[in-house]
């Protein structure tokens, strides 16, 4: 008990004092910083510019950067409270080790931790081969860290089995771009949202989940907005046309629109002839997608199909954007190819307002795609191309034999290999798969099978960290330096505002220190001491490639609020908008984009009498991924404190369920327990929706081990479930 407060002597005046801040105006004195540090938001891929307020060595506030070209000073709820993630009680502060899974963690020094890690990894490789060590990374490191980690994984440890959690959200877009255009890389820019006259959003609830991008739409009064989504989302409510398709029928819809456009002669023959290959095969493949058949598959009327095709086909500049509603599918890559086909046959690419545009997930998923050495080699080089391998060998001054001739296992296949004991040791970096990976039971068994598991994270404990043998504490956003690349290929600066807690280190330093323990630091990272050293090498590696950084400097990036690639050495006008493929030349062998036939199929697990509902999963604006960050921010927790289930009222009445009742969602694999029931017309009969952020109501207890065969991205949606009252 505070006796001074009881006696009225402690008025807590210091806590409730106010002061004048030159940026924020009249505000709490405790939030008036000594200095403002410019940086870029560390949540989603929009890439908002912001400032961190620092007072007495602590982050006390944030504000948007009004001069930043992405957000013009506006931040979403997560961004407005981001500084609060830095000082939460659950930050990882010291390396922690336990000699067996049955024992408790104890604190160890960095030297011992890294020596143990190097020794155990090398021992596993000696006994089982280099690829017996696997690495799963993230989309939230800075590009300089991704570049260093890729070299360390592939050349230092010599394992090909390195992938990122970006495979769980963005690999479908990557694969689709590569197949259609010969390379990854979103062709358009945010400005296109303001300049297009028709905007088609497919499985993308940006009004909720990318609200800063939604503002771009609001300043475009002449647009026609078409939203394709099974749910009546906030974005769908604001649309001119909402296509409430049946779950996973988007591919049939796009093929049906292509059918109508070709039959109505609303295609760009000149563009098709000059800049694409494969039109005849595409035309043959879409003949079965007649309006009547597509209406049956999608649940839309024939009239609505013709209206949509007419709007898109007659547009001056048509823009297509998508997120997880497309990507989280076992037919996701083909759906992206169909989207690209639609843009190509109408010439809607490489022009102002016209592009097929993937809205990326994490703050630097693009950085790892460009530089990370996972599904492709740095600079969008291909493992299979001997010339590309030789280029890198020459740049790095290593033998070309050290560079893999094919990519290793993708994330889901790394987990499967651990289950089968082909991978014996695993290093998980800044991700929490116990909450984020599908079919929790399979993952749990895989992690328990490992000989040695290292979890490197800014937070501890986490659900995944509970399985670890060694925990390495990492610095997070606000505590380290580098760059992020956002969805429109804009490279922005990330700055250190405060020191990491305890003995936590930047991931960049952890990678270099492990390289020292492995004995490969001088060979791979000679002379490196800071992220800027990695950035300078990455500029040389990217020079002449599609994702060319060679003309960028940290100073120019900060001065302009970010520079879009490609930006080659000698380039001028860093603030200009850059689009890809404006000259009609693509990154393919013949310079032409590929029109790729695609085929719709029913999703892998249709409902039946025992499991009559189709489960959909997704995000909520208040939380981020598995809530290791946002779950400790009080204002975000108050806004969205628990998981819920959305169900149509007709289904609720049939099951005699009441609003706010506690229910369980049961699939063939497991049960999501104790969800609050929300009966709402925003979801169709026969469908249910659960947000995926909560460990205690883990949606992945129900989801299935079904993956896109090309991208290896999980089919998180459309699994069959039933709903029961909680007991």
């Amino acid at each position: 008990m505070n006796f001074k407060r009881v006696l009225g002597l402690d008025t807590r005046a210091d806590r409730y004092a106010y002061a004048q801040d030159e940026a924020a105006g009249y505000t709490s004195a405790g939030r008036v910083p000594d200095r403002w540090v410019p940086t870029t938001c560390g949540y989603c891929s929009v890439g908002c510019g912001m400032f961190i307020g620092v007072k007495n060595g602590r982050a006390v506030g944030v504000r948007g950067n009004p001069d930043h070209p992405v957000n013009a000073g506006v931040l979403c709820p997560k961004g407005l409270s981001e500084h609060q993630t830095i000082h939460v009680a659950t930050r990882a502060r010291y390396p922690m080790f336990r000699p067996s899974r049955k024992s408790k963690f104890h604190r160890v020094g960095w030297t011992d931790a890294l020596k143990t890690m190097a020794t155990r990894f090398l021992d596993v490789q000696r006994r089982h081969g280099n690829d017996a060590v696997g690495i799963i990374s993230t989309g939230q490191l800075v590009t300089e860290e991704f570049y260093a980690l890729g070299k360390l994984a592939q050349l230092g440890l010599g394992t090909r089995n390195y992938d990122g959690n970006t495979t769980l959200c963005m690999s479908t877009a990557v694969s689709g771009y590569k197949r259609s255009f010969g390379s990854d890389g979103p062709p358009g820019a945010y400005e296109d949202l303001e300049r297009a006259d028709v905007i088609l959003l497919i499985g993308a609830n940006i009004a909720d989940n990318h609200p800063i991008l939604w503002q771009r739409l609001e300043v475009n009064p002449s647009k026609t907005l078409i939203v394709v989504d099974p749910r009546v989302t906030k974005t769908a409510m604001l649309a001119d046309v909402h296509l409430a398709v049946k779950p996973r029928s988007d591919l049939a819809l796009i093929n049906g629109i292509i059918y109508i456009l070709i039959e109505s002669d609303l295609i760009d023959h000149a563009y098709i002839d000059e800049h694409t290959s494969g039109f005849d095969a595409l035309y043959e493949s879409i003949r079965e997608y007649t309006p009547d058949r597509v209406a049956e598959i999608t649940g839309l009327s024939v009239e609505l199909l013709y209206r949509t095709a007419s709007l898109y086909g007659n547009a001056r500049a048509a823009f297509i954007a998508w997120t997880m509603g497309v990507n989280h599918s076992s037919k996701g890559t083909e759906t992206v190819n169909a989207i690209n086909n639609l843009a190509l046959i109408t010439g809607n690419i490489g022009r102002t307002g016209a592009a097929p545009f993937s809205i990326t997930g994490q703050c630097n998923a693009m950085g790892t795609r460009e530089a990370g050495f996972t599904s492709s080699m740095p600079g969008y080089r291909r493992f299979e191309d001997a010339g590309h391998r030789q280029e890198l060998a020459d740049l790095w001054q290593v033998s070309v034999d050290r560079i893999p001739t094919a990519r290793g296992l993708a994330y889901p296949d790394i987990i499967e290999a651990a289950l089968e004991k082909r991978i014996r040791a695993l290093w998980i970096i800044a991700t929490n798969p116990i909450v984020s990976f599908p079919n929790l039971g399979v993952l749990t068994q895989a992690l328990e099978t490992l000989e040695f598991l290292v979890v490197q994270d800014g937070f501890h404990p986490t659900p995944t960290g509970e399985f670890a043998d060694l925990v390495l504490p990492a610095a997070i956003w606000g505590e380290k330096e580098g760059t992020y690349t956002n969805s429109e290929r804009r490279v922005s600066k990330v700055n250190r505002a405060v020191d990491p807690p305890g003995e936590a280190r930047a991931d960049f330093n952890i990678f270099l220190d492990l390289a020292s323990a492995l004995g490969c630091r001088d060979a791979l990272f000679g002379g490196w001491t800071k992220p800027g050293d990695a950035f300078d090498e990455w500029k040389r590696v990217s020079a002449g490639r599609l994702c060319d950084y060679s003309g960028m400097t940290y100073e120019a990036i900060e001065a302009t609020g970010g520079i879009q690639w490609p930006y080659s050495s000698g380039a001028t006008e860093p603030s200009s908008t850059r689009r890809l493929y404006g000259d009609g030349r693509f990154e393919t062998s013949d310079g032409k984009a590929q029109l790729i036939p695609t085929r719709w199929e029913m999703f892998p697990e249709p409902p039946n009498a025992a499991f009559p509902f189709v489960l959909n999963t997704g995000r909520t604006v208040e939380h981020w991924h598995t809530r290791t960050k946002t779950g400790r921010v009080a204002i975000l927790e108050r806004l969205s404190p628990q998981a819920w289930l959305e169900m149509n009222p007709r289904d609720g009445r049939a099951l005699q369920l009441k609003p706010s009742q506690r229910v369980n969602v049961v699939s063939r694999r497991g049960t999501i327990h104790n969800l609050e029931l929300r009966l709402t017309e925003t979801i169709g009969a026969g469908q249910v929706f659960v947000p995926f952020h909560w460990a205690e109501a883990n949606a992945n207890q129900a989801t299935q081990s079904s993956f896109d065969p090309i991208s290896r991205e999980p089919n998180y949606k459309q699994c069959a479930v039933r709903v029961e009252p909680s007991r």
Side-chain angles (χ1 to χ4, degrees), residues 106-146:
H106 65 272
R107 179 177 167 181
V108 295
W110 271 105
T111 300
D112 288 343
L114 293 172
K115 181 180 179 181
T116 298
M117 182 177 177
T119 300
R120 295 292 295 271
F121 278 6
L122 292 174
D123 177 62
V124 163
Q125 291 180 314
R126 178 184 57 79
R127 291 183 288 114
H128 302 288
N130 281 6
D131 287 342
V133 171
I135 303 172
I136 296 171
S137 181
T138 177
Q140 296 177 70
L141 306 184
V142 295
T143 298
E144 294 80 352
E145 291 170 338
F146 285 130

Side-chain angles (χ1 to χ4, degrees), residues 150-184:
K151 289 184 71 177
L152 178 61
Q154 302 278 9
L155 305 182
L157 280 166
T159 177
R160 296 178 304 151
N161 294 330
Y162 161 47
D163 200 11
N165 67 13
T166 47
T167 292
L168 305 187
C169 56
M170 296 315 307
S171 60
T172 284
V174 172
S175 297
Y177 280 147
K178 286 180 178 179
R179 296 179 85 213
S180 295
F181 307 142
S183 177
D184 187 15

